[in-house]
Amino acid sequence: MRSFFSSNKGLAFAIIIIVLFIIQEQPHSPVLHARGMKPKVLIFSAIDIYYVADNVQKWGEDVGANGFLFSHIAEWWTTKEKLADNLDVLREVNRKGAKHGLDSNFIKVAIGYSELPVWTDDKAWANVVENFRNIAELIKQTGTKGIAIDTEPYSVALFDSKAARFRMIDNDILKRKIYQRGREIMQAITEVFQDIEVIILPEGAFYWFNPDQGTMANAYELWIDFFDGMASVKNRSGIVVAGERTYSVVDRLSVIKIYRMTDETMQTHAKDPAFWKEKCSIALGMWPLGKEYHDKSARYPVSDFREQFAQAAALSPKYVWIYDHGTAWFQLSKEEAEKYTKDGRWIWEKRYQVLPAVPNIDEYYTVLREHRKR
């Protein structure tokens, strides 16, 4: 009897060790995963909104997407009158798309485009905040899910205290003003639409506090102050940080490591870690297709994308997202290109949109479709 119990104790101990190892390797999943809910799949694309309106069934059912981060619908300088140009088509996309699972669309606003006013310019910022308020009104009126605020410094420095445009501003004042602007934007959009979903990208704090993980650490020095300002409003839906560091990372354990580092960075450095833990989340990003705008070929094979996607979906509670470099995930026919540019209407780089996607594009779509069926 002693040897029987001893062997079973040894077996039980081994099982406990294995379980603890699995728990350690697989980070704690937020409550949505605990309830068996899977993340929605978003595509960040230069896709034309009218083309989507005509093809909601394709994107919802044939591709398996749940929504887009729409570019070129609104910018931080867009007037209320100009926003109205897309009101009807956005409403159509959301109404028709919901029947096919395309029910989680976002308007992407890049504060790094053009020359965002200096954070200390109160008069100019009053206009910027009002523009965000108007964008939120458009989102609410059209049944759009939310807003995605892109904080990458494309044109001018945003969060680098040593940048020339901030040279004459005391660092403490600069931090306070960045915090203030984040808070004002969140107040404006939630006053209009309390349940608006809010995404911010990229994961700026991750790069600043882990400088070995990217090439632009200084660019995000004060990013956390902007996030803290937004988080101080304690909006209902929280804030989703859309991560880019996993764009080209396909190994399962490496994806887990980056997720864990991002989460730990936010828990450690966010001003309100409780709000982060209770309301916020990470959405991991992937970039499988499109080496250049004119080259839509694969950056890694379907097999790698499947592994990457599975792990990203296992970790991200609300959303995962795919960066469609330009329009690498589809091809406009010449007839479609002519239709959507009729009478001088602008679409992003028609010359690239008409180029063919990879021959096995449906295999990439299959990964998304399989996710939806699970």
Side-chain angles (χ1 to χ4, degrees):
M1 292 290 288
R2 181 177 297 175
S3 62
F4 173 81
F5 284 111
S6 296
S7 62
N8 277 272
K9 285 180 180 178
L11 177 61
F13 179 75
I15 292 173
I16 290 171
I17 293 297
I18 292 171
V19 169
L20 289 175
F21 176 78
I22 293 172
I23 292 173
Q24 182 180 13
E25 286 300 312
Q26 189 75 18
H28 172 69
S29 296
V31 67
L32 291 174
H33 275 184
R35 294 173 182 169
M37 298 176 69
K38 56 190 175 187
K40 298 289 186 80
V41 181
L42 308 178
I43 300 178
F44 181 154
S45 179
I47 197 168
D48 179 61
I49 185 73
Y50 282 88
Y51 164 73
V52 175
D54 290 338
N55 293 275
V56 290
Q57 182 172 355
K58 170 189 173 177
W59 286 97
E61 297 184 15
D62 298 343
V63 178
N66 296 111
F68 288 94
L69 304 184
F70 282 119
S71 300
H72 312 303
I73 298 294
E75 308 296 351
W76 59 261
W77 62 84
T78 306
T79 65
K80 187 173 185 177
E81 293 72 25
K82 187 65 177 175
L83 289 174
D85 291 348
N86 288 304
L87 189 148
D88 290 338
V89 68
L90 264 173
R91 185 176 285 152
E92 181 183 359
V93 166
N94 292 313
R95 178 181 56 82
K96 290 166 52 179
K99 301 174 184 177
H100 304 286
L102 198 71
D103 57 4
S104 299
N105 294 302
F106 288 74
I107 292 178
K108 188 268 294 182
V109 181
I111 62 173
Y113 287 173
S114 192
E115 188 167 348
L116 187 75
V118 174
W119 301 105
T120 52
D121 189 338
D122 292 336
K123 183 177 180 180
W125 265 93
N127 290 328
V128 174
V129 171
E130 184 62 22
N131 291 340
F132 271 95
R133 186 187 307 275
N134 294 333
I135 293 168
E137 184 65 42
L138 176 69
I139 289 168
K140 182 178 182 180
Q141 289 180 1
T142 58
T144 304
K145 180 69 72 173
I147 188 169
I149 302 176
D150 186 349
T151 62
E152 186 170 339
Y154 297 102
S155 302
V156 294
L158 298 175
F159 307 109
D160 183 355
S161 68
K162 296 179 177 61
R165 68 195 306 243
F166 304 137
R167 191 174 298 156
M168 303 303 293
I169 306 173
D170 178 81
N171 198 57
D172 289 337
I173 293 175
L174 184 61
K175 286 171 65 68
R176 286 198 300 270
K177 283 297 183 180
I178 291 175
Y179 178 97
Q180 177 185 336
R181 304 313 178 197
R183 180 175 173 81
E184 289 172 342
I185 288 173
M186 184 66 90
Q187 285 175 326
I189 64 178
T190 54
E191 283 170 6
V192 169
F193 186 8
Q194 288 188 336
D195 293 319
I196 190 171
E197 294 269 350
V198 180
I199 294 175
I200 187 171
L201 66 149
E203 63 280 44
F206 172 83
Y207 296 112
W208 171 248
F209 292 106
N210 303 279
D212 61 322
Q213 292 296 311
T215 59
M216 296 175 59
N218 290 342
Y220 296 104
E221 175 192 354
L222 304 181
W223 181 95
I224 195 67
D225 297 289
F226 186 75
F227 175 89
D228 284 338
M230 294 177 65
S232 69
V233 178
K234 298 184 185 295
N235 61 310
R236 287 183 181 180
S237 64
I239 303 171
V240 177
V241 174
E244 297 181 1
R245 180 62 182 83
T246 49
Y247 268 173
S248 305
V249 179
V250 298
D251 174 70
R252 172 181 171 273
L253 293 181
S254 297
V255 172
I256 292 174
K257 178 182 177 182
I258 292 168
Y259 177 93
R260 182 179 291 142
M261 288 178 67
T262 305
D263 186 44
E264 289 175 353
T265 297
M266 297 305 297
Q267 290 200 45
T268 301
H269 298 285
K271 191 173 184 179
D272 188 348
F275 179 73
W276 168 258
K277 187 174 181 179
E278 294 166 12
K279 286 285 191 177
C280 302
S281 64
I282 299 166
L284 296 179
M286 294 154 277
W287 181 0
L289 299 174
K291 294 180 179 179
E292 302 288 347
Y293 291 140
H294 64 271
D295 180 1
K296 298 184 179 182
S297 58
R299 300 178 73 242
Y300 41 90
V302 174
S303 56
D304 286 350
F305 177 52
R306 180 171 281 107
E307 179 178 353
Q308 179 194 42
F309 185 95
Q311 189 57 63
L315 294 167
S316 307
K318 293 178 79 170
Y319 302 105
V320 292
W321 64 289
I322 294 165
Y323 175 56
D324 177 17
H325 189 55
T327 55
W329 274 67
F330 68 99
Q331 176 188 14
L332 281 187
S333 68
K334 291 183 179 179
E335 292 75 20
E336 287 171 328
E338 291 175 2
K339 174 181 178 180
Y340 300 119
T341 57
K342 188 177 180 180
D343 298 326
R345 184 175 176 271
W346 181 88
I347 64 172
W348 180 86
E349 296 291 359
K350 180 174 69 172
R351 56 181 171 154
Y352 299 142
Q353 298 208 42
V354 297
L355 296 177
V358 292
N360 64 333
I361 186 66
D362 192 64
E363 294 179 32
Y364 287 86
Y365 294 167
T366 298
V367 175
L368 276 60
R369 292 196 300 264
E370 289 174 347
H371 170 71
R372 177 174 291 192
K373 293 176 182 177
R374 290 192 186 101

